[in-house]
Amino acid sequence: MTDLTLAAANTIIAAALAKGADARMKPLTVAVLDAGGHLKAFQKQDGASMLRFEIAAGKAYGALAVGMGSRWLDETARERPHFMEGLNAVSGGKIVPVPGGVLIRDASGNLQGAVGITGDTSDNDELAAVAGIEAAGLRHQVG
């Protein structure tokens, strides 16, 4: 198993931002975390509002925390709000349970990290994340 490289993280960001531009999305913010939840790479487009780093990183962190994409967290928050409240409490409030946090896996399915994107609709954020991961030649897990 290899770790997520900086080159791969930067490819994810560049491709995600390109997807956003092609789809005329609002300014995006992209955070890529390694499998241990540490920031690997980050970019915030001009015009993105404040707190976007915290939101993007929170989507990725949440995905890593539960081993599922943040779309699963969104669904779980609706079905079991007490669970999400507890999860957010034990994480120190780091988890943002809305779509846009996608796990990154290598060709063998080994966890490499997660990307979190915010700025447009949650569905579009997730689409940009998937495009970035695929451009880096890696696999994604949205739910």
Side-chain angles (χ1 to χ4, degrees):
M1 178 172 99
T2 59
D3 292 333
L4 181 67
T5 65
L6 179 59
N10 285 330
T11 297
I12 291 168
I13 291 172
L17 295 179
K19 175 69 173 179
D22 289 346
R24 299 193 187 283
M25 293 181 194
K26 295 177 184 173
L28 298 178
T29 299
V30 185
V32 179
L33 306 183
D34 66 17
H38 300 97
L39 184 65
K40 191 74 175 188
F42 168 77
Q43 284 194 23
K44 177 180 161 185
Q45 288 185 305
D46 296 341
S49 62
M50 65 180 283
L51 293 181
R52 290 299 176 174
F53 168 77
E54 292 83 358
I55 297 167
K59 289 180 178 187
Y61 190 85
L64 286 169
V66 297
M68 302 287 284
S70 63
R71 180 168 293 280
W72 180 87
L73 286 167
D74 179 54
E75 294 165 3
T76 301
R78 290 180 209 166
E79 296 167 4
R80 298 173 48 208
H82 60 285
F83 173 76
M84 189 54 55
E85 190 175 305
L87 190 59
N88 232 336
V90 299
S91 74
K94 292 181 182 180
I95 295 172
V96 177
V98 294
V102 180
L103 292 178
I104 304 165
R105 296 190 179 276
D106 66 16
S108 298
N110 298 310
L111 182 66
Q112 297 289 294
V115 59
I117 299 184
T118 185
D120 204 271
T121 66
S122 294
D123 288 340
N124 282 343
D125 294 344
E126 186 177 84
L127 287 173
V130 167
I133 294 166
E134 289 177 351
L138 297 165
R139 294 174 42 194
H140 57 82
Q141 181 180 342
V142 297

